[in-house]
Amino acid sequence: MENKVNVGAKKFNAVDLITVVVFAVLVRVLWMVFKTAGIIFPFNHSFMHFFSAFCLVACMCVVKKRWTAFFYTVGWCAINFFIQGEHWSYWALVVLAPLLPELFMKARSKAFKNPDDVYHSFKDLLVFSIIYTVIYFAFVWWTLLYIFLVPIDWSLSAVAFAGALVLCVPGSWLGYRLGKKISTLIS
């Protein structure tokens, strides 16, 4: 008997879920390594979006199923909550971040003869990653400002947001390249 998680039209098998977990762990490891540079560089949160886009796009290219980003986000949020001890209000909203980008990918998949080809379109994955970054950044900044009451200057927020969007592009490109190579190797 094969265990599968049914989400939408395609089922996630154990390999898919393990792949998602590997990329969720990778984004947290990369973030923790770079976070140590926060002492030197104040915009380390912007660089989080580079790593997030890299791991997210690579994961999407490898798994090629709807709701991959949701499971990926739940995975790294669970790491934050259970291992790093972050407050639940931080990840409660962030878990919703992939919902709108997932709807975008579903709509875009109709433009392809094979709907799974949307997961190998850099343009679509880049737009997906940008939407994810905007929503994720907004949720995190809202949490910092209004739940944790961290006094952050709006001009600093704008610079950090611009940095996140700019860094999302090379992260998506590198993730796309890695995801395509891994996908080619396993198919």
Side-chain angles (χ1 to χ4, degrees):
M1 177 185 266
E2 195 172 328
N3 294 329
K4 292 186 178 186
V5 177
N6 186 8
V7 179
K10 290 188 160 191
K11 295 181 179 186
F12 280 72
N13 59 32
V15 173
D16 296 333
L17 294 174
I18 290 168
T19 302
V20 169
V21 168
V22 166
F23 282 106
V25 168
L26 179 61
V27 77
R28 294 316 303 164
V29 168
L30 290 171
W31 170 236
M32 292 309 292
V33 168
F34 189 79
K35 193 173 183 179
T36 60
I39 297 168
I40 302 166
F41 187 68
F43 296 105
N44 63 358
H45 198 285
S46 297
F47 274 92
M48 167 53 181
H49 296 282
F50 171 83
F51 297 127
S52 177
F54 171 74
C55 292
L56 175 66
V57 170
C59 185
M60 297 287 289
C61 280
V62 173
V63 177
K64 300 181 289 258
K65 293 180 181 163
R66 283 189 348 197
W67 304 112
T68 298
F70 178 75
F71 287 124
Y72 162 83
T73 305
V74 167
W76 69 256
C77 285
I79 292 167
N80 286 8
F81 182 69
F82 291 111
I83 296 177
Q84 292 176 220
E86 286 185 341
H87 195 271
W88 66 268
S89 62
Y90 170 80
W91 60 266
L93 289 174
V94 174
V95 169
L96 301 175
L99 297 182
L100 187 59
E102 288 282 4
L103 292 174
F104 165 77
M105 290 300 267
K106 180 179 179 184
R108 283 295 301 146
S109 69
K110 294 176 183 172
F112 293 88
K113 189 173 185 179
N114 178 1
D116 288 345
D117 288 345
V118 73
Y119 298 108
H120 288 289
S121 164
F122 175 69
K123 179 185 80 167
D124 292 318
L125 288 168
L126 178 61
V127 172
F128 178 94
S129 179
I130 289 170
I131 295 169
Y132 185 94
T133 297
V134 167
I135 294 169
Y136 172 43
F137 192 93
F139 283 161
V140 169
W141 233 244
W142 182 83
T143 303
L144 290 173
L145 290 170
Y146 298 107
I147 293 180
F148 296 120
L149 303 175
V150 176
I152 300 172
D153 182 49
W154 282 104
S155 59
L156 179 64
S157 296
V159 170
F161 179 66
L165 286 178
V166 167
L167 291 168
C168 170
V169 175
S172 297
W173 173 248
L174 292 172
Y176 174 75
R177 303 237 344 172
L178 176 67
K180 288 280 285 185
K181 286 186 185 217
I182 292 171
S183 184
T184 302
L185 288 173
I186 62 175
S187 32

